[in-house]
Amino acid sequence: MLEFSITPTHDPDLAARLQRAIDDKTKPRGALGRLETTALCMGLIQRRLDPRQEHPQALVFAADHGATRRPGISAFPREVTWQMVENFLAGGAAINVFCRQHGIPLAVVDAGVDHVFAPRPGLIDAKLAFGSNDYLQAPALGRKLAVRSLATGAELVRRLPPETDCLLLGEMGIGNTASATLLTHCFTGAPLEAITGRGTGLDDEGLATKRRLLETALVRGGVPANPIDVLAEYGGLEIGQIAGAMLAAAERRLVILVDGFIVTAALLVAHALEPAVLDYCLFSHRSQEPGHRLQLERLGAEALLELDLRLGEGTGAALAYPLIVSAAAFLREMASFSAAGVASGS
């Protein structure tokens, strides 16, 4: 039985104190825009007037998808999943570059890649299967494996060092935009046509084929009422583990820096299971994927950046991380009007 104890961050007294502290900084009220709301959110998460961001951890979860064994789901072959994991481990991917730039520790989680990796530093073996099933023919995970994926992701976060204060989440899995599209449809009710994107670069004909295949999957599996059953029908092992990681991170009161479309699909799973998880989430960017915009709207979320990204890997989260460091720093270090001897506005 999956059980999480997530405390909502809602605290009117602390929120008022944080807002007064923000407003008393030597600037016009609201002049730092989204950094001010970000600082407020971080103060509520950490339950302090001087939030800090000093010990981040990036986790990139990787898995394969059974539907990619047929043409039409992705422009890239499924072998790219394990090849990109090797690239991560060699330090050559975009997420490696950005994490190195900002001093963010990075680990890669083999949640279910259809490949056997040699053990090495930076690789976490959490493989539950060699990929998911083809959801056009059968449930992608089945309920037992869906529950195990959630539990496994949660356990990985529970094992992180106690000083960890921010979790950056990324993914790798050829075909996972299709899985995320099905999950988004089930959790939001949005039509497939509105949320099906080009993923790794499908042309118009490929996009139409992808939509037809996803419609076929929905005819088979329907729209389950229970969130775990939705994950069981259409999810991937990396998506399930990310959802579990989010729930455990919220339980630990970590800031969760959410990446793009696939990671937000995992959040839809986590949110359906424990709505309070949303209190701990900061949204790094708004992806070029059409479904991501809808996800953010349904969650009532605003992203920090809009750079037309559609790479995944956690790249948006790594790029946004310095912004949340700055948000904490201004609240902690910027002078107040009274301390600086500056006259405040009315």
Side-chain angles (χ1 to χ4, degrees), residues 14-290:
L14 177 58
R17 293 166 64 202
L18 283 162
Q19 191 62 58
R20 284 195 297 271
I22 291 167
D23 291 342
D24 194 38
K25 299 301 181 183
T26 47
K27 60 173 180 57
R29 289 191 181 189
L32 285 176
R34 293 294 314 285
L35 286 186
E36 297 192 16
T37 55
T38 299
L40 177 62
C41 180
M42 292 164 60
L44 289 171
I45 289 171
Q46 297 184 0
R47 289 191 274 197
R48 55 193 296 175
L49 294 172
D50 58 344
R52 295 178 177 273
Q53 282 299 320
E54 298 174 337
H55 300 286
Q57 175 66 58
L59 295 176
V60 177
F61 292 78
D64 275 303
H65 293 256
T68 58
R69 295 189 182 279
R70 65 176 71 228
I73 291 293
S74 174
F76 280 74
R78 63 191 279 114
E79 290 77 16
V80 171
T81 301
W82 72 259
Q83 291 165 359
M84 280 302 300
V85 170
E86 290 288 358
N87 190 26
F88 296 147
L89 295 171
I95 186 60
N96 299 99
V97 173
F98 300 146
C99 283
R100 280 197 299 269
Q101 180 185 13
H102 301 305
I104 303 168
L106 170 66
V108 182
V109 181
D110 175 9
V113 181
D114 191 8
H115 186 79
V116 177
F117 297 100
R120 73 202 83 170
L123 176 65
I124 298 173
D125 182 2
K127 191 192 298 287
L128 299 178
F130 287 90
S132 62
N133 299 318
D134 180 356
Y135 46 62
L136 282 93
Q137 297 179 330
L141 301 178
R143 189 174 177 88
K144 182 177 179 180
L145 197 54
V147 171
R148 284 185 65 201
S149 71
L150 290 163
T152 300
E155 184 58 27
L156 291 178
V157 170
R158 288 169 179 153
R159 293 177 185 175
L160 291 176
E163 65 270 19
T164 305
D165 54 22
C166 181
L167 184 64
L168 295 81
L169 293 164
E171 44 61 41
M172 179 63 217
I174 294 301
N176 63 9
T177 57
S179 177
T181 299
L182 290 167
L183 294 173
T184 301
H185 168 76
C186 290
F187 285 115
T188 70
L192 283 181
E193 184 175 352
I195 54 177
T196 306
R198 298 180 185 274
T200 48
L202 293 170
D203 59 18
D204 289 346
E205 182 179 353
L207 182 60
T209 299
K210 180 178 177 180
R211 284 174 179 159
R212 287 196 299 271
L213 290 171
L214 297 184
E215 287 168 357
T216 300
L218 286 169
V219 169
R220 183 204 60 77
V223 179
N226 184 284
I228 292 179
D229 290 334
V230 174
L231 179 64
E233 288 292 341
Y234 305 118
L237 291 164
E238 83 280 36
I239 293 173
Q241 290 196 19
I242 290 170
M246 289 173 163
L247 292 166
E251 194 173 51
R252 285 187 57 172
R253 302 192 72 94
L254 307 184
V255 172
I256 303 168
L257 197 47
V258 181
D259 193 45
F261 181 51
I262 291 94
V263 172
T264 310
L267 176 57
L268 291 176
V269 177
H271 180 257
L273 291 168
E274 292 284 350
V277 70
L278 191 60
D279 290 1
Y280 296 84
C281 294
L282 294 173
F283 294 82
S284 61
H285 75 110
R286 188 164 68 174
S287 167
Q288 200 176 50
E289 281 286 322

Side-chain angles (χ1 to χ4, degrees), residues 327-342:
F330 99 75
L331 180 54
R332 194 173 62 251
E333 300 176 18
M334 190 174 174
S336 66
F337 282 108
S338 57
V342 176

